[in-house]
Amino acid sequence: MNPFPRIALARDTDLTLGRLLEELADLNGDRPLVEEHGTGLTLTYREGADRVAEYAAGIAAKSQPGDRVVVAAANGYEFFLLCLAASRAGTVPVPVNPQMTKNEVDYVIDDSSAHLVVRSVDEVSGSGRLDQAAPCDAADTAAIFYTSGTTGKPKGAELTHRALLGSAAMAALYPAGLRRDEMVCGMPVAHIAGFTILLMTACLGVPLYLLPKFRPDWALDAIESRRATAFIGVPAMYRMMLEAGAEQRDLHSIRLWASGADAMPDDLIKVFKRLGATATLPVVNTNIGEAIFIDGYGMVELAGGAAIRISLPWIQLPLVPLPGYQLKAVDDRGDEVGMGEVGELAVKGPGVLKGYHGKKEATDEVLLPDGFLRTGDLARRQPFGLVSLAGRKKHVIKHGGYSVFAVEVEHTLEEHPDIVEAAVVGLPDARKGEIPVAVVRVREGADLSPDALVAWAGEHMADYKAPRQVRIVDDLPRTGTDKVQKDKLKELFG
């Protein structure tokens, strides 16, 4: 018997999704795994592993090894267990976001050539247990995650067991139980960021409080009442919590804030670091210091995160690759750009997708011969092998020969005291090629006209960057993971 089971699990390069909870149950037994807001679901590690074995038996009875199984259940921890169960049965889970329309789900079913669609746990319960995970190789495709489709039809990214579990399994080394921890999570489980966070927290041994439906007041209530020590969400969730009165709540129990799925604005990082604390002194019950903030960079094609920005109390560190990953900025030919120049961010590491399901041409477009993945993001080359992000390549506006980075204009607009959120896109222009335009949300009660904002922008940024038109809206169109759907913004300008 191995005297160091956590080390053995962390070093298990053959670990698969189907075996994961079985192995973790051996380590953690009846320790709490998850509690779900509003549903009454509470599971220990052993109970979670039992459910995976039960659902796997039901899936195996309706499918063959290698089949694709679309998981289209409601958002929640059971969705996660169904994906693990599909893997245990020897099939390939294909998670779909519950917010997708029927036509969008049908597209995924057809594109993935799925043989089974599971919409609830009731469909695969009551068939006994699958006590032994179906044999498979860690280099095999573990799951197919579809891209958001904001730039066209979604593509299915084939991700291996090793890609999904490499970083998560290392988390088993965390000395869980030495102190009280709990993470509140508002991430959608079908999204790669949410899915990998659930993998990570399970391996960490940190109990999870999951919000199947995110509401800022529910998140703040959970943190405050449960004295949670960590929270993870997307930037839009942090904005909503701030608007819902986060600064008037006692959130000092938080030691770690984390964000993923989109770029986190520095101003929000500073606010939430201050709302948490480094530690609470016993006896006097006094909070000291600030919380840590981790802003993750990743995407579906990277099986989640590949780099992080860590903001320590009073110190902001640069974007650094996670262990095993390399970053570089490349030109259109795939060659690295010069120091200080902007190019497309390319990433190499264990999480890089095997390919897009059934789309070799699309795969060849993003995978360079040296194994680096073109991300579609812009990055500026920095010394020591580091880069700094400079926005989305597809969101560069070419205005009169100048390159306008939408993210830079958005950050400047958000410095206006009445603007809550800004999104910038380019509109075709016969003379200039493109002109920048903006869609903004303003604070409640603000007296701000589009013309006034256009004038303000002209005073606060270079002429070629300043939006020529502005639309003020109550809400911005978003994907299921709260990313702004910039293609839809153009419709507001006719």
Side-chain angles (χ1 to χ4, degrees), residues 31 45 76 113 116 131 133 153 158 175 213 217 242 245 260 271 282 292 307 345 373 401 449 453 482 491 493:
R31 293 183 58 202
Y45 277 85
S113 302
L116 177 66
D131 290 320
K153 285 290 187 183
E158 297 177 334
K213 177 179 174 59
D217 53 337
L242 194 59
V271 169
I292 296 171
L345 176 63
L373 170 83
S449 70
L453 186 52
D482 281 323
E491 300 170 6
F493 297 90

Side-chain angles (χ1 to χ4, degrees), residues 43-62:
L43 296 173
T44 65
Y45 277 85
R46 200 180 312 281
E47 289 168 340
D50 287 342
R51 291 203 180 194
V52 169
E54 179 184 354
Y55 303 157
I59 292 172
K62 300 181 178 184

Side-chain angles (χ1 to χ4, degrees), residues 149-434:
T150 55
T151 59
K153 285 290 187 183
K155 298 184 289 291
E158 297 177 334
L159 306 175
T160 68
H161 296 273
R162 198 164 286 145
L164 286 165
L165 290 172
S167 298
M170 291 297 295
L173 296 174
Y174 181 74
L178 294 184
R179 71 172 199 180
R180 180 199 168 274
D181 277 309
E182 182 179 78
M183 175 177 282
V184 174
C185 177
M187 304 285 278
V189 182
H191 186 266
I192 189 63
F195 190 86
T196 53
I197 284 300
L198 266 57
L199 289 175
M200 183 68 70
T201 53
C203 291
L204 282 168
V206 172
L208 182 73
Y209 187 78
L210 184 65
L211 302 168
K213 177 179 174 59
F214 179 82
R215 273 186 37 177
D217 53 337
W218 290 349
L220 293 170
D221 289 345
I223 294 170
E224 195 170 25
S225 64
R226 303 176 69 86
R227 310 312 297 157
T229 58
F231 172 83
I232 184 163
V234 299
M237 294 174 181
Y238 281 93
R239 290 186 185 278
M240 287 188 277
M241 289 195 295
L242 194 59
E243 293 172 18
E247 291 178 293
Q248 284 71 56
R249 298 293 198 107
D250 179 7
L251 309 179
H252 286 103
S253 62
I254 293 288
R255 304 290 180 253
L256 172 68
W257 301 101
S259 175
D262 207 352
M264 184 73 181
D266 288 339
D267 60 334
L268 282 179
I269 290 177
K270 291 175 183 176
V271 169
F272 279 91
K273 280 174 62 178
R274 176 173 50 80
L275 294 179
T278 303
T280 301
L281 297 178
V283 184
V284 293
N285 198 34
T286 300
N287 301 300
I288 59 172
E290 295 182 327
I292 296 171
F293 203 112
I294 294 180
D295 184 18
Y297 172 81
M299 57 198 305
V300 174
E301 291 88 343
L302 293 170
I308 56 173
R309 279 196 309 159
I310 301 179
S311 188
L312 301 171
W314 308 292
I315 301 173
Q316 175 71 60
L317 301 180
L319 183 74
V320 295
L322 290 171
Y325 286 86
Q326 302 173 53
L327 312 177
K328 66 179 180 179
V330 300
D331 59 21
D332 290 340
R333 297 185 304 274
D335 298 326
E336 193 166 19
V337 301
M339 192 64 65
E341 294 182 0
V342 173
E344 183 176 2
L345 176 63
V347 179
K348 185 177 184 179
V352 171
L353 82 168
K354 289 179 64 175
Y356 291 119
H357 179 72
K359 294 179 172 57
K360 184 180 185 305
E361 185 176 337
T363 301
D364 292 341
E365 287 177 2
V366 297
L367 288 180
L368 295 171
D370 57 2
F372 276 83
L373 170 83
R374 288 184 177 274
T375 65
D377 288 317
L378 292 172
R380 190 180 303 276
R381 185 181 175 188
Q382 305 285 11
F384 312 113
L386 300 178
V387 300
S388 58
L389 296 179
R392 286 289 290 171
K393 185 177 182 181
K394 66 183 180 184
H395 294 151
V396 175
I397 301 161
K398 291 291 187 178
H399 181 206
Y402 290 99
S403 293
V404 180
F405 299 139
V407 67
E408 180 184 0
V409 180
E410 290 163 357
H411 287 171
T412 302
L413 289 173
E414 288 169 357
E415 292 175 2
H416 190 290
D418 288 333
I419 292 182
V420 174
E421 186 175 12
V424 173
V425 295
L427 291 184
D429 182 79
R431 190 163 63 91
K432 294 286 189 178
E434 289 182 295

Side-chain angles (χ1 to χ4, degrees), residues 16 21 64 78 136 191-192 329 368 438 462:
T16 62
L21 268 191
Q64 298 295 321
E78 293 276 29
C136 66
H191 186 266
I192 189 63
L368 295 171

